[in-house]
């Protein structure tokens, strides 16, 4: 019996580390594009995995682990927004734009075009922002997004299209639509 | 739409660098050691054994109670189990009987009581009568 439990523990730990290897970049991107702060995004990724592990370790069952990770990350992002309520995030983005992501080999800076689009995406309601970031930043298909969020594929597609339309309208207003 | 595809291309470069990845992985591993997992199977076994105890004790109480009640069914006045027969068995039988049958239940109890009294009287009187007749013959 002890052997079985030991095997179970080992298996769960290995599975969780494999999940980290698979999801770390995607969660990092998700947090980074919503917070526009690399250090904060790193902290949130770490906290997201720690909280998810704590939940699993307490014996509770998680049916959709990827969905759970995104949910925890989103809750942490909301907490961050609340903490920074004094300084409006939108004002901050308008003033400074996005932080440049640092790659190991090269320092990548977003083009002005992408920076503008991202700024407008961040002005959307979180229900549109989440699906657009998942679709265009993390490159998930609508079907994958639906599975992660536990919603229908149709609902996700409609939301993506509405979000895109809203961003397009904002771009038209600022005169940067080409 | 073109703009969004450009976002997709440019954002694919956004990722953890090797140092960050390793650092996060190490801190996650040390956190996992600090907060060990409680295996679900193990907890199920604990739960099952706890339930097993409760079920076992309840079954024991039920069997013992039924046995005492069954033994009290034939108890005579003066025996240790007679109060159980009058206080519990007869009352329980009365509870399970509807109004129309109440009279029959009461009469059954009464006749049982009379029967047991007769049995008791006989058991006391018969040896006494037998010994008296033996004395007279002598």
């Amino acid at each position: 019996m002890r052997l079985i439990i030991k095997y179970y523990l080992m298996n769960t730990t290995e599975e969780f580390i494999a999940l980290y290897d698979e999801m770390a970049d995607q969660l990092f991107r998700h947090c980074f594009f919503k917070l526009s702060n690399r250090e904060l995004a790193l902290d949130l990724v770490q906290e997201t995995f720690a909280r998810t592990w704590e939940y699993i370790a307490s014996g509770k069952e998680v049916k959709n682990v990827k969905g759970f990770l995104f949910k925890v990350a989103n809750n942490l992002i909301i907490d961050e927004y609340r903490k920074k309520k004094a300084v409006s995030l939108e004002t901050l983005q308008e003033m400074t734009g996005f932080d440049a992501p640092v790659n190991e080999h090269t320092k990548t800076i977003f083009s002005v075009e992408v920076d503008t689009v991202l700024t407008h995406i961040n002005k959307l309601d979180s229900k549109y922002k989440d699906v657009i970031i998942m679709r265009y930043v993390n490159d998930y298909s609508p079907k994958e997004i639906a599975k992660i969020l536990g919603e229908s594929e149709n609902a996700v597609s409609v939301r993506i299209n509405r979000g895109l339309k809203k961003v397009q309208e904002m771009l038209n207003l600022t005169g940067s639509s080409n | 739409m073109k703009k969004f595809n450009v976002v997709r291309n440019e954002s694919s470069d956004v990722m953890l660098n090797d140092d960050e990845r390793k650092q996060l992985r190490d801190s996650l591993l040390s956190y996992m050691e600090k907060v060990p997992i409680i295996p679900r199977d193990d907890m199920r076994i604990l739960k099952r054994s706890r339930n097993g105890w409760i079920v076992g004790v309840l079954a024991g109480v039920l069997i013992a109670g039924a046995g005492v009640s069954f033994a009290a069914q034939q108890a005579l006045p003066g025996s240790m189990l007679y109060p159980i027969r009058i206080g519990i068995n007869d009352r329980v039988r009365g509870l399970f009987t509807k109004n129309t049958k109440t009279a029959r239940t009461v009469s059954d109890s009464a006749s049982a009581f009379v029967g047991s009294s007769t049995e008791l009287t006989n058991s006391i009187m018969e040896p006494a009568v037998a010994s008296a007749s033996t004395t007279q013959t002598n």
Side-chain angles (χ1 to χ4, degrees):
Chain A
M1 190 67 207
R2 271 188 186 173
L3 256 174
I4 294 169
I5 292 169
K6 204 173 176 185
Y7 175 76
Y8 172 83
L9 284 172
M10 209 172 70
N11 218 22
T12 311
T13 309
E14 278 176 5
E15 273 175 23
F16 196 76
I17 289 297
L19 182 74
Y20 165 80
D21 290 337
E22 185 194 341
M23 295 295 293
D25 277 330
Q26 292 170 37
L27 275 176
F28 172 70
R29 246 176 254 141
H30 186 82
C31 295
F32 176 75
F33 281 95
K34 287 182 95 173
L35 294 164
S36 62
N37 183 321
R38 192 176 180 88
E39 290 307 313
L40 201 53
L42 272 172
D43 288 347
L44 289 202
V45 171
Q46 186 173 355
E47 188 64 22
T48 300
F49 278 104
R51 287 197 186 188
T52 306
W53 173 255
E54 211 176 302
Y55 190 85
I56 294 170
S58 69
K60 288 169 191 156
E61 200 177 350
V62 182
K63 282 180 184 167
N64 178 359
V65 192
K66 286 184 186 176
F68 189 86
L69 282 171
F70 275 103
K71 203 166 188 177
V72 173
N74 280 336
N75 287 341
L76 291 170
I77 290 166
I78 290 167
D79 288 348
E80 279 305 317
Y81 284 159
R82 283 182 187 148
K83 273 186 215 166
K84 287 185 171 180
K85 216 174 179 180
V87 185
S88 159
L89 186 78
E90 284 161 21
T91 318
L92 202 72
Q93 280 163 10
E94 277 167 18
M95 282 164 62
T96 60
F98 266 76
D99 284 2
V102 181
N103 200 295
E104 193 199 4
H105 306 294
T106 51
K107 282 194 172 183
T108 316
I109 298 170
F110 288 128
S111 63
V112 178
E113 191 185 21
V114 170
D115 196 53
T116 311
V117 174
L118 289 173
T119 304
H120 288 308
I121 289 174
N122 262 301
K123 286 177 184 170
L124 292 172
D125 280 353
S126 64
K127 65 174 181 176
Y128 298 117
K129 190 168 27 178
D130 286 348
V131 288
I132 288 184
I133 288 178
M134 280 177 166
R135 180 80 184 101
Y136 291 99
V137 172
N138 274 324
D139 205 17
Y140 281 125
S141 69
K143 197 177 177 180
E144 286 171 315
I145 298 170
K147 202 177 166 190
I148 287 169
L149 297 179
E151 292 178 25
S152 74
E153 193 181 338
N154 189 42
V156 168
S157 298
V158 167
R159 215 183 297 161
I160 291 170
N161 285 326
R162 283 187 187 158
L164 290 180
K165 211 174 166 186
K166 282 173 192 281
V167 174
Q168 196 60 55
E169 281 168 11
M170 284 190 261
L171 288 169
N172 289 342
L173 277 174
T174 52
S176 50
S177 63
N178 283 314
Chain B
M1 193 58 107
K2 220 177 184 181
K3 282 180 190 292
F4 291 100
N5 289 328
V6 178
V7 170
R8 185 182 289 154
N9 294 337
E10 288 195 21
S11 58
S12 62
D13 292 335
V14 178
M15 59 176 79
L16 298 166
N17 63 38
D18 287 347
D19 287 343
E20 288 167 340
R21 197 184 311 276
K22 195 183 174 304
Q23 202 184 326
L24 273 184
R25 204 178 199 272
D26 291 345
S27 62
L28 181 63
L29 274 169
S30 68
Y31 185 76
M32 285 163 77
E33 274 173 27
K34 215 163 63 179
V35 184
I37 195 165
I38 305 165
R40 237 175 286 143
D41 286 352
D42 195 23
M43 288 197 292
R44 218 175 284 152
I45 289 162
L46 286 173
K47 221 178 198 176
R48 202 185 299 150
S49 66
R50 207 186 304 142
N51 288 345
W53 269 103
I54 294 165
V55 171
V57 168
L58 278 176
V61 168
L62 265 174
I63 290 167
V68 169
S69 174
F70 183 76
Q73 201 67 30
Q74 305 301 321
L76 294 172
S79 108
M80 236 172 64
L81 295 175
Y82 191 72
I84 292 172
R85 178 184 169 181
I86 298 298
I88 299 173
N89 286 15
D90 290 351
R91 278 188 192 173
V92 170
R93 204 184 303 152
L95 281 176
F96 283 104
T97 315
K98 295 284 174 201
N99 284 342
T100 49
K101 293 180 182 172
T102 309
R104 199 180 297 162
T105 313
V106 171
S107 106
D108 285 351
S109 298
S111 54
F113 180 76
V114 170
S116 56
S117 303
T118 314
E119 269 178 56
L120 183 69
T121 312
N122 290 342
S123 65
I124 296 166
M125 291 302 286
E126 272 172 13
V129 170
S131 70
S133 60
T134 318
T135 320
Q136 268 182 354
T137 320
N138 290 337

